[in-house]
Amino acid sequence: MDAGVSGQIYANLGYDFLAITDHNLAHSPEQWQKWQAENSLTIIPGEENGSKGHILELGVYDVTPTGTDIYTERAKLLRQAGGFVVGCHPQEYPDCGEDDIRDAVGMLHGFEIFNGLREGRGCDEMANVALWDQILTGGGRIWGVATDDFHCAYVTPGHGWVCVQVPEDTPEPVSWSTIVQQLKNGAFFSSTYPAFEKIALGSNGSSSDTLVVEAAGTRELRVIGDGGAALHRVRGNRLEWKVEPNLTYFRVEAVSGIKRGWSQPFYRESQLRVASRSVTLPTAK
């Protein structure tokens, strides 16, 4: 589907940015400038790399040459090229499956824990969340990404998306390079409907080890830790929780029926990012 048409579809839904990732095709700066002039939302250049073992590469105008079909080697080369690198849909194809994601931890920035097209094809996308927790429990560090995978409008838009936090003093309009850098930093959440409004540790007078979370469109909030265990849960849209010692990681999950929102994992020595201003709605692949 033409990027101008896709951009208008997602702009009408309230999105602020959209990543264009055609298969093994990155569009030139001139093409990007044309699309950007036609759209009110920010267009992020990129590509979906590989005929086997698909990997997203966001923030590039050229396809990064790899010269190999080995998944881990390609992931390493794509990351070295400077883009935001995401492993795609591990539940559909054997040549970019769960083992490939595990092997590429440390080379991928993230992987798709939800893909709207693959859910529509009957794949068990929640198995990706279980895989995420297995990797995190073992000490691996990787972000979880939700997308539509809106190739050729095979699915309706708005199934999976991300919301990116940007610094409060970021000038408008927010540049695609700022968005890509914040994605690399893990300063975003992923969702199929619920939206986090606040994720803060030790702010607004709370103790330094107290997590405060607020979310819209949510029936229940859960803190998930080692082994994918629910460490704490509350009904409603607000959670306070004293961080437990000796966790490898924790993350927050917002639940609204079958819909989910996922914070990024926070590690033992890291500081939780306090959301001051976020790009309001996310991106589609």
Side-chain angles (χ1 to χ4, degrees):
M1 177 175 286
D2 179 79
V5 175
S6 297
Q8 190 59 55
I9 289 171
Y10 281 94
N12 290 344
L13 289 175
Y15 282 52
D16 289 311
F17 59 94
L18 177 75
I20 304 298
T21 56
D22 290 326
H23 282 277
N24 301 306
L25 175 63
H27 298 280
S28 68
E30 292 75 22
Q31 179 63 74
W32 170 81
Q33 289 170 357
K34 179 178 183 295
W35 284 334
Q36 189 59 77
E38 296 171 348
N39 284 278
S40 59
L41 45 62
T42 298
I43 303 294
I44 301 175
E47 60 121 0
E48 184 167 352
N49 186 279
S51 56
K52 293 184 177 180
H54 301 169
I55 303 174
L56 292 181
E57 181 184 20
L58 302 188
V60 297
Y61 292 120
D62 297 294
V63 175
T64 298
T66 60
T68 178
D69 283 334
I70 299 173
Y71 193 91
T72 53
E73 289 298 315
R74 290 175 45 241
K76 180 179 179 180
L77 290 167
L78 295 176
R79 182 156 179 163
Q80 289 174 348
F84 177 61
V85 180
V86 178
C88 298
H89 41 66
Q91 296 306 319
E92 183 161 23
Y93 303 124
D95 51 15
C96 48
E98 293 189 0
D99 288 342
D100 295 291
I101 300 296
R102 289 190 184 94
D103 291 343
V105 170
M107 289 159 269
L108 299 169
H109 289 102
F111 79 102
E112 288 180 331
I113 57 172
F114 179 87
N115 180 301
L117 175 57
R118 269 63 202 186
E119 181 187 57
R121 291 178 174 176
C123 294
D124 181 8
E125 291 303 279
M126 289 303 98
N128 296 327
V129 179
L131 171 62
W132 193 25
D133 283 316
Q134 291 167 12
I135 291 169
L136 297 172
T137 301
R141 301 192 173 194
I142 193 166
W143 307 133
V145 180
T147 75
D148 271 352
D149 204 346
F150 193 60
H151 292 310
C152 305
Y154 290 137
V155 293
T156 53
H159 292 271
W161 45 270
V162 302
C163 185
V164 174
Q165 176 195 342
V166 297
E168 191 169 8
D169 58 355
T170 301
E172 297 284 354
V174 179
S175 69
W176 69 255
S177 58
T178 294
I179 295 170
V180 169
Q181 184 57 53
Q182 291 298 88
L183 288 167
K184 291 179 185 178
N185 292 341
F188 68 98
F189 69 81
S190 297
S191 186
T192 63
Y193 179 73
F196 291 104
E197 297 176 320
K198 180 179 183 179
I199 303 175
L201 189 64
S203 67
N204 298 329
S206 64
S207 64
S208 61
D209 60 352
T210 298
L211 175 70
V212 179
V213 178
E214 297 174 0
T218 300
R219 298 291 299 274
E220 181 176 280
L221 289 167
R222 301 170 182 170
V223 179
I224 307 297
D226 292 30
L231 305 174
H232 183 68
R233 63 176 71 196
V234 295
R235 298 285 292 177
N237 59 10
R238 190 176 192 278
L239 173 150
E240 287 194 23
W241 175 69
K242 186 173 182 179
V243 178
E244 298 178 7
N246 302 319
L247 293 174
T248 306
Y249 75 99
F250 67 88
R251 60 178 181 83
V252 183
E253 193 165 294
V255 179
S256 181
I258 63 172
K259 302 295 186 179
R260 296 290 187 272
W262 302 275
S263 81
Q264 297 308 319
F266 301 99
Y267 306 109
R268 186 178 305 159
E269 73 280 11
S270 68
Q271 295 295 316
L272 197 66
R273 301 170 183 84
V274 179
S276 55
R277 178 168 67 90
S278 293
V279 176
T280 53
L281 278 176
T283 187
K285 188 177 87 173

